[in-house]
Amino acid sequence: MLFLVISNPRPERPSDMAATRQSFWPWIARYQEQGICRHIYPRVGRGAVAVFAVESNLVLHRILNEWADIVPAEFETYPLVDVAETKHLLAAQVAAKT
């Protein structure tokens, strides 16, 4: 299952959170090495955007709880569909109409 996750950190002073935020990158690197975090980008100002490939909602829930322990935040989550699966679905729909 693919998910786009957008973090919206609490509005603490950035300088107060700098050391904590530094620990975020080694933490997320573990998930990148495992192929679970496919993409991660810091947002301008604060926050981050990530794409996760997880086996279940429970796995994503665990990851977001770990994330919030490092940088307290609210998360917007959006389920995504793999491009290859989308092309297959569209081809099946076209074939069904003919």
Side-chain angles (χ1 to χ4, degrees), residues 25-69:
W25 295 104
W27 170 80
I28 198 68
R30 290 181 308 142
Y31 287 111
Q32 289 176 299
E33 291 165 3
Q34 296 172 24
I36 293 171
C37 180
R38 300 265 179 98
H39 304 280
I40 180 86
Y41 299 98
R43 292 174 51 201
V44 173
R46 43 185 340 154
V49 176
V51 175
F52 290 101
V54 294
E55 294 180 14
S56 69
N57 290 332
L58 186 59
V59 173
L60 182 64
H61 179 69
R62 180 179 45 81
I63 292 169
L64 295 185
N65 275 296
E66 291 175 10
W67 185 339
D69 275 343

Side-chain angles (χ1 to χ4, degrees), residues 6 17 24-25 97:
I6 302 170
M17 294 296 293
F24 173 81
W25 295 104
K97 285 194 122 187

